[in-house]
Amino acid sequence: MLLLIMQKIKRILTLASCLYFATFAQLALCLSLESGINVYQRVAGVPPTSEEISEIESLANSGDYRAIARLAMKNKSFYRSTLKYWASAMTNVTQLPSVDLNDFSATVIGIFRDEVPLKEMLYEDILYIGNSTELVKIAPFNAGVTLKAYSDADNNHYRQLDIYGVDLSDPNLLIRTTQSGRSILPPEATMGVMTTRTAGLAFLKDGTNRRMVRFSMVNFHCRDMEQLHDITIPDYRVRQDVPRNAGGDSSTYITKCAGCHAGMDALAGAFALHDFVPTRNPDNTFSNRVIYLPTVANKFFRNDFTYPDGHVTLNESWINLWTRGQNADLGWRFSGDENPYTGTGAKALGVVLAGAKAFSVCMAQRTYTQVCGRTAPFDDGEKLAFTRIANVLESSNYNGKVLFEESVGLCVGE
């Protein structure tokens, strides 16, 4: 803390000196330096060192704010602070970013660091964990603190990495592995970060698995059910537990319920075999885990046959009814072997969600919100900027780092 205060004081004195002694022609260069330092702090989350300031000044004077962002992304604080904050809001239903590091956020951090295509976080069999072999060589694990092993049944491993400030920018300390190799999920049942333990706790626990569809759209397309609500699409996939005549008035179902459930229920079949329930440990105790069942989870039949004309889920097939009507503007596209209209299982759905234009635009919007401190509603200029950044993201093979390089230029000088 003292170091940060001293760095901030030094920055202020540097700028004050620059502004005080500057000629009119030099004034712009002083302001460029301040803008450059501002860019660095927005990305890294901490002030630059005195050694970095001279490099920042040179880059700022030439207007190369992307290079300043790249410099900031070399700081370990970018991973432990900025990226953790960026990812954490997606890990819980309240969208709070101030939560412990977990398997979801650590995996996002690893994907950014290693420049894995960002869209793979929605469908790959991927997981980042602490490397026990290397961690036991560093403090405090080399001084008597017991390193908690990764477990798909608790968050102790990641909480330790967080508490003890492990350098997540170090590829020797945070390493890539697979979910299927570290849990009871088979590879075909994985859906990137959405089948991590953290996502299971947030989106699969209890309920009817509709929450998983909702937050897949909130997290990766930046649209909640209010924006997706569309009463023009067919309702033949709405399940049996949705009232068709609430309060004796069928118009409520037509104008309100079906507008969300028609699209959501049609996709929820992708998670028909997933659940988050207690499972037996080797020591005969029980812990909650994400599981993959041989048959449809019982929760899909909760209150079944209340409305017998409703859809009965028999397997993990899904239909994307949002490719028509108002939600066609999400930019659905064929992605590899998966088409955007129909498929089987969560992984196939993840490929389609990540392949939509809305995914790239949403990632740009999320980054801009964090870096520039702006929130919706966005004006037309901002929306155009999101689309431009989305295009850059896609042309970079979904290298997540370009989101910060491009977004920070939108708030230079603020």
Side-chain angles (χ1 to χ4, degrees):
M1 179 62 71
L2 180 60
L3 178 60
L4 292 179
I5 294 172
M6 292 176 65
Q7 288 175 331
K8 189 156 190 174
I9 292 172
K10 188 168 186 178
R11 173 198 165 195
I12 293 170
L13 291 174
T14 300
L15 290 172
S17 175
C18 180
L19 292 170
Y20 182 81
F21 291 106
T23 64
F24 183 78
Q26 292 169 326
L27 184 59
L29 298 182
C30 294
L31 295 176
S32 293
L33 171 59
E34 182 169 17
S35 295
I37 293 173
N38 184 28
V39 165
Y40 184 99
Q41 289 194 167
R42 286 175 184 269
V43 177
V46 294
T49 64
S50 56
E51 291 78 13
E52 289 172 320
I53 286 178
S54 59
E55 184 176 356
I56 290 170
E57 183 174 21
S58 175
L59 293 170
N61 290 342
S62 63
D64 195 350
Y65 293 102
R66 291 180 180 86
I68 297 173
R70 288 193 290 271
L71 177 64
M73 283 187 278
K74 294 178 182 178
N75 192 310
K76 65 181 179 182
S77 178
F78 171 69
Y79 298 93
R80 290 192 56 243
S81 177
T82 305
L83 274 183
K84 180 183 174 233
Y85 191 96
W86 189 91
S88 292
M90 295 188 281
T91 68
N92 58 88
V93 297
T94 54
Q95 298 282 282
L96 289 175
S98 301
V99 296
D100 289 337
L101 183 74
N102 51 58
D103 52 356
F104 187 128
S105 56
T107 299
V108 171
I109 290 169
I111 286 172
F112 266 86
R113 187 199 65 199
D114 295 346
E115 300 183 7
V116 175
L118 191 60
K119 64 179 182 177
E120 293 187 11
M121 70 177 175
L122 252 179
Y123 57 82
E124 274 299 318
D125 180 8
I126 188 170
L127 180 72
Y128 276 80
I129 65 172
N131 182 0
S132 58
T133 302
E134 294 300 319
L135 285 170
V136 294
K137 299 176 183 177
I138 64 173
F141 306 113
N142 64 354
V145 174
T146 301
L147 174 65
K148 303 290 186 183
Y150 166 81
S151 171
D152 65 339
D154 61 54
N155 196 48
N156 295 334
H157 175 73
Y158 295 99
R159 191 174 293 114
Q160 271 195 328
L161 300 184
D162 209 4
I163 291 172
Y164 296 117
V166 170
D167 183 3
L168 304 179
S169 70
D170 188 336
N172 292 316
L173 300 183
L174 184 71
I175 59 173
R176 178 174 177 170
T177 182
T178 62
Q179 289 180 37
S180 60
R182 301 281 178 167
S183 71
I184 57 177
L185 292 178
E188 64 272 16
T190 58
M191 185 191 173
V193 293
M194 294 305 276
T195 44
T196 58
R197 177 190 176 276
T198 299
L201 175 63
F203 312 130
L204 288 173
K205 188 175 184 291
D206 303 325
T208 56
N209 283 9
R210 291 181 174 107
R211 198 184 312 136
M212 183 61 88
V213 175
R214 177 193 169 193
F215 282 95
S216 292
M217 300 305 294
V218 168
N219 286 336
F220 303 109
H221 283 191
C222 293
R223 299 206 189 181
D224 207 342
M225 299 313 300
E226 291 81 2
Q227 292 82 46
L228 296 165
H229 186 275
D230 182 4
I231 62 173
T232 69
I233 60 176
D235 67 343
Y236 59 84
R237 276 273 188 154
V238 177
R239 288 189 226 161
Q240 295 176 315
D241 59 337
V242 179
R244 265 56 170 187
N245 58 347
D249 183 1
S250 61
S251 66
T252 300
Y253 168 77
I254 296 170
T255 60
K256 294 183 179 180
C257 303
C260 289
H261 282 280
M264 179 166 54
D265 285 15
L267 290 178
F271 307 103
L273 305 187
H274 286 84
D275 209 347
F276 187 80
V277 295
T279 60
R280 190 183 297 274
N281 298 317
D283 62 0
N284 230 24
T285 60
F286 286 83
S287 298
N288 288 325
R289 289 180 172 86
V290 177
I291 65 169
Y292 186 66
L293 299 161
T295 57
V296 177
N298 289 333
K299 60 172 64 180
F300 276 74
F301 305 111
R302 189 167 294 161
N303 302 319
D304 60 335
F305 303 115
T306 304
Y307 301 93
D309 292 336
H311 176 70
V312 179
T313 303
L314 300 176
N315 51 47
E316 51 182 350
S317 66
W318 51 266
I319 299 173
N320 186 6
L321 298 175
W322 285 330
T323 57
R324 65 187 77 177
Q326 68 181 43
N327 295 313
D329 71 350
L330 291 169
W332 304 102
R333 300 176 285 201
F334 280 85
S335 188
D337 294 331
E338 304 296 343
N339 74 67
Y341 310 112
T342 184
T344 301
K347 186 181 290 292
L349 178 59
V351 172
V352 168
L353 292 176
K357 190 68 179 184
F359 170 80
S360 304
V361 173
C362 181
M363 297 301 98
Q365 178 182 314
R366 281 188 170 277
T367 308
Y368 171 77
T369 295
Q370 178 167 334
V371 170
C372 295
R374 309 277 178 75
T375 56
F378 300 108
D379 61 34
D380 290 342
E382 289 171 316
K383 292 175 183 177
L384 284 173
F386 300 156
T387 300
R388 180 189 65 77
I389 295 171
N391 291 338
V392 176
L393 175 68
E394 292 176 6
S395 66
S396 72
N397 191 28
Y398 292 85
N399 182 343
K401 291 178 181 177
V402 306
L403 294 171
F404 288 88
E405 293 177 22
E406 297 296 322
S407 294
V408 79
L410 301 176
C411 46
V412 169
E414 296 182 357

